[in-house]
Amino acid sequence: MALRALARVNLAAVERNCARLAATAAPAELCAVVKADGYGHGAAPAARAALAGGATRLAVATAGEATALRAAGIDAPLLVMGALSAEELAGAVAARADVAAWREGFVAALAATPGAEGVGVHVKLDTGMGRLGTRDPEEAARVARAAAEAPGLRLAGAMTHFATSDDDPAFVREQLAAFTPWAERLRAEHGDLLVHAANSAAALTEPAARFDLVRCGIAVYGLDPFHRDPADHGLEPALELHTYVAEVKRIAPGQSAGYGRRFVAREPGWLGTLPIGYGDGVRRGLTNNADVLVEGRRVPLVGTVSMDNITVDLGPGGREPVPRGAPAVVIGPQAGEAILAEEVATRLRTINYEVVCGISARVPREHHRDGAPA
Ligand SMILES: Cc1ncc(COP(=O)(O)O)c(C=O)c1O
């Protein structure tokens, strides 16, 4: 029996994507970014698959995400990349995660946190992202010194983050020109530390950005960091979003579908109701603005996306064009056709990241390996 909404996640695809990324990045290590519940794919299963595929480390954004991975029994080296308040810092320490730092006061607070012995500090230089990190290389060097000298702490890494690796390689090179000499100086001063900068887009296209480690998120899940077709980089989308046709009804000229009557039929035809909506992450911006696959056929989503339902135009004809219960796909392949997350993102004027992260907690995730139970 079909579920009203189901995200099917192929962990074998995650594993293959990671094998490909690891081979591309080698000799740099692959750190799989599994924040935001593994970009909506399920953090712990995605992390295990990434490690099986060749990732040697994991990264998350929050202390809570680190805690959840440890609770799931994952004990790979883990980096919390995000800002941490004092309470959150204690959580990250308890999860035996490394942390990112760019202020001396933060390093002092970390050193004073019970249980912080052995915690690795990755110093973050802001070379142009304008978000976390310090823009001042001298301050960043002082932070590194503080981490190296604080009893119990470990200076573990030197990092930065790119602002434009998906669309402006010239600015990536500017960021690299700021980062590389600073990181090399730190390495000369402190010896063994991991230098890292690249996200998926940079890891795939900018060899000079790979250093010791690449931090890949979107590509791990088989989504294209360049917003086109993941196949361009040999990536396989891991996630499919399924629903089914719960209701089929005739629609006559002048009759409408959904809130606000944003679709009014001009011809006699058939309407299908699919029990998935913005409460599941099918965004309201897809109102009259998406295709869905039903029995391998692209049909237009018509009318307003509701919280729990969408309606599709099943076309004209004298007989019901599809039976009630017919499987439908919002993201993914069906009988030779496919809807990529990138297509949905383009319709919404957003990025594939937001499409998959937006699939809500109400949607069960079913993990499998090429169709076999995971
Ligand atoms: C600091 C940092 N590194 C790496 C990543 C992974 O980026 P991507 O998903 O583009 O590979 C992110 C994600 O946004 C990030 O915030």
PDB file of all heavy atoms in Angstrom, residues 240-276:
ATOM      1  N   GLU A 240      14.323  10.412  -3.850  1.00  0.00           N
ATOM      2  CA  GLU A 240      13.107  10.530  -4.675  1.00  0.00           C
ATOM      3  C   GLU A 240      11.950  10.856  -3.748  1.00  0.00           C
ATOM      4  O   GLU A 240      11.888  10.343  -2.622  1.00  0.00           O
ATOM      5  CB  GLU A 240      12.808   9.196  -5.369  1.00  0.00           C
ATOM      6  CG  GLU A 240      13.928   8.727  -6.290  1.00  0.00           C
ATOM      7  CD  GLU A 240      13.701   7.303  -6.794  1.00  0.00           C
ATOM      8  OE1 GLU A 240      12.669   6.678  -6.436  1.00  0.00           O
ATOM      9  OE2 GLU A 240      14.575   6.822  -7.525  1.00  0.00           O
ATOM     10  N   LEU A 241      11.028  11.676  -4.236  1.00  0.00           N
ATOM     11  CA  LEU A 241       9.854  12.029  -3.436  1.00  0.00           C
ATOM     12  C   LEU A 241       8.609  11.462  -4.114  1.00  0.00           C
ATOM     13  O   LEU A 241       8.268  11.864  -5.227  1.00  0.00           O
ATOM     14  CB  LEU A 241       9.759  13.552  -3.288  1.00  0.00           C
ATOM     15  CG  LEU A 241       8.641  14.079  -2.403  1.00  0.00           C
ATOM     16  CD1 LEU A 241       8.714  13.502  -0.988  1.00  0.00           C
ATOM     17  CD2 LEU A 241       8.679  15.603  -2.352  1.00  0.00           C
ATOM     18  N   HIS A 242       7.985  10.517  -3.412  1.00  0.00           N
ATOM     19  CA  HIS A 242       6.860   9.773  -3.990  1.00  0.00           C
ATOM     20  C   HIS A 242       5.532  10.146  -3.330  1.00  0.00           C
ATOM     21  O   HIS A 242       5.477  10.444  -2.130  1.00  0.00           O
ATOM     22  CB  HIS A 242       7.061   8.268  -3.772  1.00  0.00           C
ATOM     23  CG  HIS A 242       8.204   7.711  -4.550  1.00  0.00           C
ATOM     24  ND1 HIS A 242       8.045   7.014  -5.718  1.00  0.00           N
ATOM     25  CD2 HIS A 242       9.540   7.762  -4.340  1.00  0.00           C
ATOM     26  CE1 HIS A 242       9.227   6.648  -6.193  1.00  0.00           C
ATOM     27  NE2 HIS A 242      10.153   7.099  -5.365  1.00  0.00           N
ATOM     28  N   THR A 243       4.467  10.051  -4.099  1.00  0.00           N
ATOM     29  CA  THR A 243       3.121  10.137  -3.566  1.00  0.00           C
ATOM     30  C   THR A 243       2.234   9.243  -4.458  1.00  0.00           C
ATOM     31  O   THR A 243       2.763   8.374  -5.160  1.00  0.00           O
ATOM     32  CB  THR A 243       2.642  11.605  -3.497  1.00  0.00           C
ATOM     33  OG1 THR A 243       1.317  11.652  -2.971  1.00  0.00           O
ATOM     34  CG2 THR A 243       2.679  12.309  -4.828  1.00  0.00           C
ATOM     35  N   TYR A 244       0.950   9.421  -4.434  1.00  0.00           N
ATOM     36  CA  TYR A 244       0.094   8.623  -5.318  1.00  0.00           C
ATOM     37  C   TYR A 244      -1.187   9.394  -5.625  1.00  0.00           C
ATOM     38  O   TYR A 244      -1.469  10.424  -5.001  1.00  0.00           O
ATOM     39  CB  TYR A 244      -0.218   7.252  -4.695  1.00  0.00           C
ATOM     40  CG  TYR A 244      -1.215   7.306  -3.553  1.00  0.00           C
ATOM     41  CD1 TYR A 244      -2.549   6.962  -3.760  1.00  0.00           C
ATOM     42  CD2 TYR A 244      -0.830   7.719  -2.280  1.00  0.00           C
ATOM     43  CE1 TYR A 244      -3.463   7.005  -2.721  1.00  0.00           C
ATOM     44  CE2 TYR A 244      -1.740   7.776  -1.241  1.00  0.00           C
ATOM     45  CZ  TYR A 244      -3.057   7.426  -1.464  1.00  0.00           C
ATOM     46  OH  TYR A 244      -3.962   7.493  -0.442  1.00  0.00           O
ATOM     47  N   VAL A 245      -1.920   8.888  -6.598  1.00  0.00           N
ATOM     48  CA  VAL A 245      -3.167   9.548  -6.993  1.00  0.00           C
ATOM     49  C   VAL A 245      -4.268   9.024  -6.068  1.00  0.00           C
ATOM     50  O   VAL A 245      -4.690   7.869  -6.175  1.00  0.00           O
ATOM     51  CB  VAL A 245      -3.500   9.257  -8.472  1.00  0.00           C
ATOM     52  CG1 VAL A 245      -4.792   9.967  -8.868  1.00  0.00           C
ATOM     53  CG2 VAL A 245      -2.353   9.690  -9.368  1.00  0.00           C
ATOM     54  N   ALA A 246      -4.684   9.880  -5.136  1.00  0.00           N
ATOM     55  CA  ALA A 246      -5.686   9.437  -4.159  1.00  0.00           C
ATOM     56  C   ALA A 246      -7.105   9.582  -4.714  1.00  0.00           C
ATOM     57  O   ALA A 246      -8.009   8.844  -4.311  1.00  0.00           O
ATOM     58  CB  ALA A 246      -5.550  10.264  -2.881  1.00  0.00           C
ATOM     59  N   GLU A 247      -7.289  10.527  -5.622  1.00  0.00           N
ATOM     60  CA  GLU A 247      -8.630  10.793  -6.141  1.00  0.00           C
ATOM     61  C   GLU A 247      -8.520  11.194  -7.607  1.00  0.00           C
ATOM     62  O   GLU A 247      -7.572  11.888  -7.991  1.00  0.00           O
ATOM     63  CB  GLU A 247      -9.282  11.929  -5.309  1.00  0.00           C
ATOM     64  CG  GLU A 247     -10.705  12.237  -5.655  1.00  0.00           C
ATOM     65  CD  GLU A 247     -11.601  10.996  -5.612  1.00  0.00           C
ATOM     66  OE1 GLU A 247     -11.667  10.334  -4.571  1.00  0.00           O
ATOM     67  OE2 GLU A 247     -12.204  10.677  -6.649  1.00  0.00           O
ATOM     68  N   VAL A 248      -9.462  10.698  -8.401  1.00  0.00           N
ATOM     69  CA  VAL A 248      -9.547  11.103  -9.815  1.00  0.00           C
ATOM     70  C   VAL A 248     -10.972  11.576 -10.041  1.00  0.00           C
ATOM     71  O   VAL A 248     -11.920  10.873  -9.670  1.00  0.00           O
ATOM     72  CB  VAL A 248      -9.245   9.910 -10.760  1.00  0.00           C
ATOM     73  CG1 VAL A 248      -9.320  10.350 -12.214  1.00  0.00           C
ATOM     74  CG2 VAL A 248      -7.880   9.308 -10.448  1.00  0.00           C
ATOM     75  N   LYS A 249     -11.110  12.766 -10.607  1.00  0.00           N
ATOM     76  CA  LYS A 249     -12.471  13.264 -10.830  1.00  0.00           C
ATOM     77  C   LYS A 249     -12.554  14.033 -12.132  1.00  0.00           C
ATOM     78  O   LYS A 249     -11.566  14.589 -12.598  1.00  0.00           O
ATOM     79  CB  LYS A 249     -12.935  14.123  -9.656  1.00  0.00           C
ATOM     80  CG  LYS A 249     -12.094  15.339  -9.389  1.00  0.00           C
ATOM     81  CD  LYS A 249     -12.650  16.170  -8.248  1.00  0.00           C
ATOM     82  CE  LYS A 249     -12.697  15.352  -6.974  1.00  0.00           C
ATOM     83  NZ  LYS A 249     -12.877  16.181  -5.790  1.00  0.00           N
ATOM     84  N   ARG A 250     -13.761  14.039 -12.673  1.00  0.00           N
ATOM     85  CA  ARG A 250     -13.985  14.830 -13.885  1.00  0.00           C
ATOM     86  C   ARG A 250     -13.954  16.307 -13.531  1.00  0.00           C
ATOM     87  O   ARG A 250     -14.365  16.704 -12.440  1.00  0.00           O
ATOM     88  CB  ARG A 250     -15.376  14.521 -14.442  1.00  0.00           C
ATOM     89  CG  ARG A 250     -15.472  13.245 -15.193  1.00  0.00           C
ATOM     90  CD  ARG A 250     -16.873  13.156 -15.794  1.00  0.00           C
ATOM     91  NE  ARG A 250     -17.139  11.810 -16.269  1.00  0.00           N
ATOM     92  CZ  ARG A 250     -16.700  11.353 -17.445  1.00  0.00           C
ATOM     93  NH1 ARG A 250     -15.980  12.124 -18.246  1.00  0.00           N
ATOM     94  NH2 ARG A 250     -16.976  10.107 -17.814  1.00  0.00           N
ATOM     95  N   ILE A 251     -13.508  17.105 -14.481  1.00  0.00           N
ATOM     96  CA  ILE A 251     -13.615  18.549 -14.309  1.00  0.00           C
ATOM     97  C   ILE A 251     -14.214  19.124 -15.598  1.00  0.00           C
ATOM     98  O   ILE A 251     -13.799  18.745 -16.700  1.00  0.00           O
ATOM     99  CB  ILE A 251     -12.256  19.189 -13.914  1.00  0.00           C
ATOM    100  CG1 ILE A 251     -12.424  20.665 -13.579  1.00  0.00           C
ATOM    101  CG2 ILE A 251     -11.180  18.964 -14.951  1.00  0.00           C
ATOM    102  CD1 ILE A 251     -11.275  21.256 -12.761  1.00  0.00           C
ATOM    103  N   ALA A 252     -15.202  19.969 -15.416  1.00  0.00           N
ATOM    104  CA  ALA A 252     -15.904  20.546 -16.566  1.00  0.00           C
ATOM    105  C   ALA A 252     -15.442  21.982 -16.769  1.00  0.00           C
ATOM    106  O   ALA A 252     -14.946  22.614 -15.831  1.00  0.00           O
ATOM    107  CB  ALA A 252     -17.418  20.504 -16.301  1.00  0.00           C
ATOM    108  N   PRO A 253     -15.587  22.514 -17.981  1.00  0.00           N
ATOM    109  CA  PRO A 253     -15.202  23.909 -18.211  1.00  0.00           C
ATOM    110  C   PRO A 253     -15.857  24.821 -17.178  1.00  0.00           C
ATOM    111  O   PRO A 253     -17.041  24.667 -16.872  1.00  0.00           O
ATOM    112  CB  PRO A 253     -15.733  24.193 -19.617  1.00  0.00           C
ATOM    113  CG  PRO A 253     -15.788  22.855 -20.279  1.00  0.00           C
ATOM    114  CD  PRO A 253     -16.108  21.864 -19.203  1.00  0.00           C
ATOM    115  N   GLY A 254     -15.051  25.708 -16.598  1.00  0.00           N
ATOM    116  CA  GLY A 254     -15.560  26.637 -15.577  1.00  0.00           C
ATOM    117  C   GLY A 254     -15.382  26.131 -14.158  1.00  0.00           C
ATOM    118  O   GLY A 254     -15.441  26.919 -13.219  1.00  0.00           O
ATOM    119  N   GLN A 255     -15.166  24.836 -14.003  1.00  0.00           N
ATOM    120  CA  GLN A 255     -14.904  24.319 -12.643  1.00  0.00           C
ATOM    121  C   GLN A 255     -13.436  24.546 -12.286  1.00  0.00           C
ATOM    122  O   GLN A 255     -12.576  24.598 -13.164  1.00  0.00           O
ATOM    123  CB  GLN A 255     -15.247  22.823 -12.556  1.00  0.00           C
ATOM    124  CG  GLN A 255     -16.744  22.566 -12.607  1.00  0.00           C
ATOM    125  CD  GLN A 255     -17.076  21.080 -12.472  1.00  0.00           C
ATOM    126  OE1 GLN A 255     -16.309  20.220 -12.907  1.00  0.00           O
ATOM    127  NE2 GLN A 255     -18.233  20.793 -11.888  1.00  0.00           N
ATOM    128  N   SER A 256     -13.190  24.657 -10.988  1.00  0.00           N
ATOM    129  CA  SER A 256     -11.834  25.036 -10.556  1.00  0.00           C
ATOM    130  C   SER A 256     -11.264  23.991  -9.613  1.00  0.00           C
ATOM    131  O   SER A 256     -11.953  23.080  -9.151  1.00  0.00           O
ATOM    132  CB  SER A 256     -11.877  26.400  -9.870  1.00  0.00           C
ATOM    133  OG  SER A 256     -12.683  26.334  -8.708  1.00  0.00           O
ATOM    134  N   ALA A 257      -9.972  24.179  -9.301  1.00  0.00           N
ATOM    135  CA  ALA A 257      -9.287  23.305  -8.334  1.00  0.00           C
ATOM    136  C   ALA A 257      -8.531  24.166  -7.346  1.00  0.00           C
ATOM    137  O   ALA A 257      -7.800  25.070  -7.742  1.00  0.00           O
ATOM    138  CB  ALA A 257      -8.316  22.378  -9.070  1.00  0.00           C
ATOM    139  N   GLY A 258      -8.710  23.866  -6.071  1.00  0.00           N
ATOM    140  CA  GLY A 258      -7.858  24.441  -5.033  1.00  0.00           C
ATOM    141  C   GLY A 258      -8.270  25.824  -4.545  1.00  0.00           C
ATOM    142  O   GLY A 258      -9.149  26.475  -5.103  1.00  0.00           O
ATOM    143  N   TYR A 259      -7.592  26.233  -3.447  1.00  0.00           N
ATOM    144  CA  TYR A 259      -7.825  27.546  -2.839  1.00  0.00           C
ATOM    145  C   TYR A 259      -7.637  28.663  -3.871  1.00  0.00           C
ATOM    146  O   TYR A 259      -6.691  28.620  -4.682  1.00  0.00           O
ATOM    147  CB  TYR A 259      -6.830  27.789  -1.708  1.00  0.00           C
ATOM    148  CG  TYR A 259      -7.061  26.948  -0.470  1.00  0.00           C
ATOM    149  CD1 TYR A 259      -6.104  26.037  -0.056  1.00  0.00           C
ATOM    150  CD2 TYR A 259      -8.230  27.086   0.271  1.00  0.00           C
ATOM    151  CE1 TYR A 259      -6.296  25.276   1.090  1.00  0.00           C
ATOM    152  CE2 TYR A 259      -8.429  26.326   1.417  1.00  0.00           C
ATOM    153  CZ  TYR A 259      -7.461  25.418   1.812  1.00  0.00           C
ATOM    154  OH  TYR A 259      -7.657  24.661   2.943  1.00  0.00           O
ATOM    155  N   GLY A 260      -8.521  29.628  -3.812  1.00  0.00           N
ATOM    156  CA  GLY A 260      -8.380  30.825  -4.650  1.00  0.00           C
ATOM    157  C   GLY A 260      -8.760  30.604  -6.105  1.00  0.00           C
ATOM    158  O   GLY A 260      -8.664  31.509  -6.902  1.00  0.00           O
ATOM    159  N   ARG A 261      -9.172  29.369  -6.441  1.00  0.00           N
ATOM    160  CA  ARG A 261      -9.592  29.041  -7.810  1.00  0.00           C
ATOM    161  C   ARG A 261      -8.520  29.457  -8.823  1.00  0.00           C
ATOM    162  O   ARG A 261      -8.805  30.095  -9.851  1.00  0.00           O
ATOM    163  CB  ARG A 261     -10.930  29.697  -8.132  1.00  0.00           C
ATOM    164  CG  ARG A 261     -12.035  29.407  -7.108  1.00  0.00           C
ATOM    165  CD  ARG A 261     -13.397  29.755  -7.656  1.00  0.00           C
ATOM    166  NE  ARG A 261     -13.789  28.831  -8.698  1.00  0.00           N
ATOM    167  CZ  ARG A 261     -14.529  29.170  -9.781  1.00  0.00           C
ATOM    168  NH1 ARG A 261     -14.949  30.414  -9.929  1.00  0.00           N
ATOM    169  NH2 ARG A 261     -14.846  28.266 -10.677  1.00  0.00           N
ATOM    170  N   ARG A 262      -7.264  29.136  -8.493  1.00  0.00           N
ATOM    171  CA  ARG A 262      -6.176  29.579  -9.377  1.00  0.00           C
ATOM    172  C   ARG A 262      -6.055  28.720 -10.640  1.00  0.00           C
ATOM    173  O   ARG A 262      -5.273  29.035 -11.526  1.00  0.00           O
ATOM    174  CB  ARG A 262      -4.845  29.614  -8.622  1.00  0.00           C
ATOM    175  CG  ARG A 262      -4.779  30.779  -7.650  1.00  0.00           C
ATOM    176  CD  ARG A 262      -3.369  30.989  -7.120  1.00  0.00           C
ATOM    177  NE  ARG A 262      -3.320  32.152  -6.262  1.00  0.00           N
ATOM    178  CZ  ARG A 262      -3.660  32.155  -4.968  1.00  0.00           C
ATOM    179  NH1 ARG A 262      -4.074  31.029  -4.399  1.00  0.00           N
ATOM    180  NH2 ARG A 262      -3.593  33.267  -4.272  1.00  0.00           N
ATOM    181  N   PHE A 263      -6.800  27.637 -10.685  1.00  0.00           N
ATOM    182  CA  PHE A 263      -6.916  26.877 -11.937  1.00  0.00           C
ATOM    183  C   PHE A 263      -8.401  26.709 -12.233  1.00  0.00           C
ATOM    184  O   PHE A 263      -9.158  26.228 -11.387  1.00  0.00           O
ATOM    185  CB  PHE A 263      -6.262  25.501 -11.832  1.00  0.00           C
ATOM    186  CG  PHE A 263      -6.564  24.602 -13.003  1.00  0.00           C
ATOM    187  CD1 PHE A 263      -5.946  24.813 -14.229  1.00  0.00           C
ATOM    188  CD2 PHE A 263      -7.489  23.564 -12.891  1.00  0.00           C
ATOM    189  CE1 PHE A 263      -6.240  24.000 -15.318  1.00  0.00           C
ATOM    190  CE2 PHE A 263      -7.781  22.743 -13.983  1.00  0.00           C
ATOM    191  CZ  PHE A 263      -7.159  22.971 -15.186  1.00  0.00           C
ATOM    192  N   VAL A 264      -8.790  27.134 -13.419  1.00  0.00           N
ATOM    193  CA  VAL A 264     -10.168  26.942 -13.871  1.00  0.00           C
ATOM    194  C   VAL A 264     -10.088  26.221 -15.208  1.00  0.00           C
ATOM    195  O   VAL A 264      -9.377  26.669 -16.122  1.00  0.00           O
ATOM    196  CB  VAL A 264     -10.897  28.303 -14.032  1.00  0.00           C
ATOM    197  CG1 VAL A 264     -12.332  28.084 -14.528  1.00  0.00           C
ATOM    198  CG2 VAL A 264     -10.908  29.073 -12.710  1.00  0.00           C
ATOM    199  N   ALA A 265     -10.779  25.081 -15.301  1.00  0.00           N
ATOM    200  CA  ALA A 265     -10.694  24.267 -16.529  1.00  0.00           C
ATOM    201  C   ALA A 265     -11.346  25.001 -17.698  1.00  0.00           C
ATOM    202  O   ALA A 265     -12.388  25.644 -17.540  1.00  0.00           O
ATOM    203  CB  ALA A 265     -11.360  22.920 -16.294  1.00  0.00           C
ATOM    204  N   ARG A 266     -10.678  24.870 -18.854  1.00  0.00           N
ATOM    205  CA  ARG A 266     -11.285  25.422 -20.084  1.00  0.00           C
ATOM    206  C   ARG A 266     -11.951  24.309 -20.883  1.00  0.00           C
ATOM    207  O   ARG A 266     -12.894  24.547 -21.614  1.00  0.00           O
ATOM    208  CB  ARG A 266     -10.200  26.067 -20.955  1.00  0.00           C
ATOM    209  CG  ARG A 266      -9.685  27.350 -20.375  1.00  0.00           C
ATOM    210  CD  ARG A 266      -9.211  28.303 -21.491  1.00  0.00           C
ATOM    211  NE  ARG A 266      -8.242  29.223 -20.937  1.00  0.00           N
ATOM    212  CZ  ARG A 266      -6.926  29.051 -20.988  1.00  0.00           C
ATOM    213  NH1 ARG A 266      -6.415  28.020 -21.626  1.00  0.00           N
ATOM    214  NH2 ARG A 266      -6.107  29.900 -20.426  1.00  0.00           N
ATOM    215  N   GLU A 267     -11.410  23.111 -20.737  1.00  0.00           N
ATOM    216  CA  GLU A 267     -11.917  21.950 -21.486  1.00  0.00           C
ATOM    217  C   GLU A 267     -12.397  20.907 -20.478  1.00  0.00           C
ATOM    218  O   GLU A 267     -11.905  20.886 -19.348  1.00  0.00           O
ATOM    219  CB  GLU A 267     -10.769  21.287 -22.275  1.00  0.00           C
ATOM    220  CG  GLU A 267      -9.903  22.232 -23.090  1.00  0.00           C
ATOM    221  CD  GLU A 267     -10.636  22.747 -24.301  1.00  0.00           C
ATOM    222  OE1 GLU A 267     -11.626  22.076 -24.709  1.00  0.00           O
ATOM    223  OE2 GLU A 267     -10.270  23.816 -24.812  1.00  0.00           O
ATOM    224  N   PRO A 268     -13.267  20.020 -20.913  1.00  0.00           N
ATOM    225  CA  PRO A 268     -13.593  18.899 -20.026  1.00  0.00           C
ATOM    226  C   PRO A 268     -12.365  18.005 -19.872  1.00  0.00           C
ATOM    227  O   PRO A 268     -11.610  17.830 -20.830  1.00  0.00           O
ATOM    228  CB  PRO A 268     -14.714  18.163 -20.773  1.00  0.00           C
ATOM    229  CG  PRO A 268     -14.783  18.737 -22.136  1.00  0.00           C
ATOM    230  CD  PRO A 268     -13.945  19.975 -22.205  1.00  0.00           C
ATOM    231  N   GLY A 269     -12.166  17.486 -18.684  1.00  0.00           N
ATOM    232  CA  GLY A 269     -10.984  16.650 -18.490  1.00  0.00           C
ATOM    233  C   GLY A 269     -11.024  15.964 -17.142  1.00  0.00           C
ATOM    234  O   GLY A 269     -12.090  15.819 -16.522  1.00  0.00           O
ATOM    235  N   TRP A 270      -9.853  15.547 -16.725  1.00  0.00           N
ATOM    236  CA  TRP A 270      -9.722  14.786 -15.480  1.00  0.00           C
ATOM    237  C   TRP A 270      -8.696  15.444 -14.572  1.00  0.00           C
ATOM    238  O   TRP A 270      -7.636  15.879 -15.018  1.00  0.00           O
ATOM    239  CB  TRP A 270      -9.284  13.365 -15.787  1.00  0.00           C
ATOM    240  CG  TRP A 270     -10.311  12.593 -16.531  1.00  0.00           C
ATOM    241  CD1 TRP A 270     -10.433  12.485 -17.880  1.00  0.00           C
ATOM    242  CD2 TRP A 270     -11.375  11.844 -15.950  1.00  0.00           C
ATOM    243  NE1 TRP A 270     -11.508  11.710 -18.209  1.00  0.00           N
ATOM    244  CE2 TRP A 270     -12.111  11.291 -17.037  1.00  0.00           C
ATOM    245  CE3 TRP A 270     -11.799  11.561 -14.653  1.00  0.00           C
ATOM    246  CZ2 TRP A 270     -13.228  10.483 -16.839  1.00  0.00           C
ATOM    247  CZ3 TRP A 270     -12.906  10.755 -14.463  1.00  0.00           C
ATOM    248  CH2 TRP A 270     -13.605  10.235 -15.543  1.00  0.00           C
ATOM    249  N   LEU A 271      -9.050  15.468 -13.302  1.00  0.00           N
ATOM    250  CA  LEU A 271      -8.192  16.064 -12.284  1.00  0.00           C
ATOM    251  C   LEU A 271      -7.759  14.947 -11.335  1.00  0.00           C
ATOM    252  O   LEU A 271      -8.567  14.109 -10.942  1.00  0.00           O
ATOM    253  CB  LEU A 271      -9.054  17.073 -11.525  1.00  0.00           C
ATOM    254  CG  LEU A 271      -8.393  18.238 -10.820  1.00  0.00           C
ATOM    255  CD1 LEU A 271      -7.679  19.147 -11.800  1.00  0.00           C
ATOM    256  CD2 LEU A 271      -9.472  19.034 -10.075  1.00  0.00           C
ATOM    257  N   GLY A 272      -6.484  14.945 -10.964  1.00  0.00           N
ATOM    258  CA  GLY A 272      -6.013  13.994  -9.959  1.00  0.00           C
ATOM    259  C   GLY A 272      -5.637  14.746  -8.692  1.00  0.00           C
ATOM    260  O   GLY A 272      -5.064  15.841  -8.761  1.00  0.00           O
ATOM    261  N   THR A 273      -5.945  14.156  -7.541  1.00  0.00           N
ATOM    262  CA  THR A 273      -5.551  14.763  -6.260  1.00  0.00           C
ATOM    263  C   THR A 273      -4.490  13.882  -5.620  1.00  0.00           C
ATOM    264  O   THR A 273      -4.693  12.674  -5.440  1.00  0.00           O
ATOM    265  CB  THR A 273      -6.763  14.892  -5.329  1.00  0.00           C
ATOM    266  OG1 THR A 273      -7.766  15.637  -6.025  1.00  0.00           O
ATOM    267  CG2 THR A 273      -6.403  15.617  -4.044  1.00  0.00           C
ATOM    268  N   LEU A 274      -3.363  14.490  -5.300  1.00  0.00           N
ATOM    269  CA  LEU A 274      -2.221  13.771  -4.726  1.00  0.00           C
ATOM    270  C   LEU A 274      -2.027  14.262  -3.288  1.00  0.00           C
ATOM    271  O   LEU A 274      -1.907  15.473  -3.063  1.00  0.00           O
ATOM    272  CB  LEU A 274      -0.946  14.059  -5.542  1.00  0.00           C
ATOM    273  CG  LEU A 274      -0.748  13.333  -6.883  1.00  0.00           C
ATOM    274  CD1 LEU A 274      -1.955  13.231  -7.734  1.00  0.00           C
ATOM    275  CD2 LEU A 274       0.426  13.924  -7.645  1.00  0.00           C
ATOM    276  N   PRO A 275      -2.012  13.353  -2.320  1.00  0.00           N
ATOM    277  CA  PRO A 275      -2.002  13.776  -0.916  1.00  0.00           C
ATOM    278  C   PRO A 275      -0.614  14.149  -0.401  1.00  0.00           C
ATOM    279  O   PRO A 275      -0.049  13.514   0.486  1.00  0.00           O
ATOM    280  CB  PRO A 275      -2.575  12.565  -0.188  1.00  0.00           C
ATOM    281  CG  PRO A 275      -2.208  11.421  -1.060  1.00  0.00           C
ATOM    282  CD  PRO A 275      -2.145  11.908  -2.474  1.00  0.00           C
ATOM    283  N   ILE A 276      -0.075  15.226  -0.980  1.00  0.00           N
ATOM    284  CA  ILE A 276       1.222  15.779  -0.546  1.00  0.00           C
ATOM    285  C   ILE A 276       1.103  17.279  -0.746  1.00  0.00           C
ATOM    286  O   ILE A 276       0.443  17.718  -1.705  1.00  0.00           O
ATOM    287  CB  ILE A 276       2.369  15.148  -1.386  1.00  0.00           C
ATOM    288  CG1 ILE A 276       3.736  15.496  -0.809  1.00  0.00           C
ATOM    289  CG2 ILE A 276       2.300  15.568  -2.853  1.00  0.00           C
ATOM    290  CD1 ILE A 276       4.875  14.665  -1.431  1.00  0.00           C
TER     291      ILE A 276
END
